[in-house]
Amino acid sequence: MSHHQATARRVATGTGATLALAVVGVTATAGAAHADESYTVRSGDTVSHIATRSGTTVAAIARANALGDASRIRIGQVLTIPTAAAPAPAAVAPAPVAAAYKVVPGDTVSRIAAKHGTTVAAVVAANGLDSRAFIRIGQMLSIPGAGGAAAAAPAPAAAAQAAGSVSHTVRSGDTVTAIAAKHGATVAAVVAANGLDSRAMIRIGQTLTVPVPVAAPSTATVGNTFAGRTYADSVVAAANANLTTLRSSPTPSKAEMQAKIVATARAMGVDPALAQAVAFQESGFKHAVVSPANAIGTMQVIPTSGQWASDLVGRQLNLVNPDDNVTAGVAILRALVGNAPDLPTAIAGYYQGASSVKKNGMFADTRRYVANVQTHMTRFR
């Protein structure tokens, strides 16, 4: 991958902010050992997901709510969630104790789970996280079983097949079989994840959750040097933390990232050819990449530039999020083009930093970068 010298010539510290996700609340309707609970359906919910989070089954929810078709629920609908009485623990095996944990910079759910001898799935379920398991610095997590014995580590093969998920909006001509094949999933997995009946009936416009296998994260790490420059330990540590986060989350393909860039550039009034050329030069449209200077993702944006981009668009951007990463890069390009005397100077500012270009002119490697980007632009016209 390529790394722009704007990252080499500016001090980059900290990590990209992560998305905060609301924990879904379930209210008990009785205090007995076997208590029904109520749940209000939210956007994106399926009976299968609700059952998994609540420790019950699709069939049990369907029976409790007289659902003729377990795949049909509506936003705002209040469901009764039946819960089974938990068996009394054996005298020799004390009940697991849940511990509170405060997220610190560099944390990922997988690291937290390993540290406390539990599993990613258990932490995700205990805190109502989605399949991407996004957490934020300072967030308080409940760690199930943290006071008990450490859970056995999953076998490498099992880790490589840990399920992630993607969303798919049904279009004309789609079938569950075709959707499953497109995403490398199985029909049974799609049916189970969305509470479909045995006929696997779907409708145009319906949003499906498609469970997909996620490859085991690479053990490769970000080094501390690039282009003859050595970066501070704190910067490299932040870069490695961001790389771990990217590799532990489902990652869009290069084609999907390119499509995001085109759509975002058009929406923000930036030449799509310019945005694509910069992204191709920076990362080759790959998203799970981080430079030693902690330049993150497809657009290779460092956290300080990401904060500038957040100010430009009026909301906090999360650089590890594919959509926000593209938004940050395109917002920066828009600002540079709007303030530079010409296009080459704007491109140079993305690589070297606008203030450095103004003060020092273009460095030799900056001129090569500008020439490469302008050449790439011709292929994206």
Side-chain angles (χ1 to χ4, degrees):
M1 73 179 176
S2 57
H3 309 282
H4 51 78
Q5 293 305 313
T7 64
R9 303 184 195 281
R10 288 175 284 175
V11 176
T13 59
T15 61
T18 49
L19 293 177
L21 293 170
V23 176
V24 175
V26 179
T27 304
T29 59
H34 181 277
D36 287 345
E37 299 171 342
S38 61
Y39 177 81
T40 302
V41 177
R42 298 183 179 184
S43 177
D45 275 342
T46 66
V47 176
S48 176
H49 287 165
I50 295 169
T52 299
R53 284 198 299 262
S54 304
T56 185
T57 65
V58 171
I61 293 177
R63 284 195 302 271
N65 295 275
L67 300 179
D69 182 351
S71 68
R72 296 296 182 90
I73 54 176
R74 65 182 185 278
I75 296 171
Q77 182 177 359
V78 178
L79 298 177
T80 297
I81 311 298
T83 58
V92 295
V97 179
Y101 179 82
K102 186 175 183 179
V103 178
V104 299
D107 271 344
T108 64
V109 173
S110 59
R111 285 185 177 181
I112 294 169
K115 179 179 179 180
H116 291 91
T118 185
T119 65
V120 170
V123 176
V124 166
N127 294 278
L129 305 181
D130 73 357
S131 59
R132 297 170 296 176
F134 278 134
I135 53 177
R136 66 183 187 278
I137 296 170
Q139 182 178 357
M140 295 301 299
L141 298 177
S142 176
I143 312 299
Q161 294 299 317
S165 66
V166 297
S167 295
H168 179 94
T169 301
V170 178
R171 295 177 293 184
S172 177
D174 272 346
T175 64
V176 173
T177 300
I179 294 168
K182 176 180 178 181
H183 295 285
T186 65
V187 171
V190 176
V191 167
N194 295 278
L196 304 181
D197 64 12
S198 59
R199 296 169 297 169
M201 297 293 290
I202 54 177
R203 64 184 183 278
I204 295 172
Q206 182 178 359
T207 299
L208 299 177
T209 297
V210 184
V212 295
V214 178
S218 169
T219 57
T221 57
V222 177
N224 66 349
T225 59
F226 173 72
R229 295 173 179 83
T230 300
Y231 294 89
D233 290 344
S234 60
V235 176
V236 176
N240 275 295
N242 283 319
L243 181 63
T244 299
T245 299
L246 286 170
R247 290 181 173 175
S248 64
S249 306
T251 303
S253 68
K254 291 189 287 186
E256 290 170 329
M257 289 307 303
Q258 185 177 3
K260 291 178 186 292
I261 292 164
V262 172
T264 303
R266 287 174 177 163
M268 297 180 70
V270 174
D271 182 355
L274 171 62
Q276 290 176 87
V278 168
F280 183 77
Q281 178 68 25
E282 292 290 343
S283 67
F285 299 127
K286 293 180 288 186
H287 187 59
V289 289
V290 183
S291 80
N294 199 21
I296 301 165
T298 303
M299 301 303 292
Q300 288 288 278
V301 181
I302 61 175
T304 50
S305 294
Q307 188 55 58
W308 176 38
S310 296
D311 295 338
L312 290 173
V313 301
R315 68 179 179 87
Q316 192 64 41
L317 297 172
N318 170 20
L319 297 179
V320 301
N321 177 279
D323 295 302
D324 280 5
N325 187 277
V326 171
T327 297
V330 173
I332 291 170
L333 282 173
R334 182 174 63 180
L336 291 171
V337 170
N339 290 287
D342 52 45
L343 182 59
T345 303
I347 297 171
Y350 197 93
Y351 179 79
Q352 183 178 319
S355 59
S356 176
V357 173
K358 184 176 181 179
K359 179 180 178 180
N360 305 301
M362 295 186 199
F363 299 118
D365 53 342
T366 301
R367 288 194 294 271
R368 290 192 296 271
Y369 178 92
V370 171
N372 286 341
V373 169
Q374 290 187 298
T375 298
H376 295 325
M377 288 180 68
T378 62
R379 66 184 292 191
F380 296 120
R381 291 294 185 192

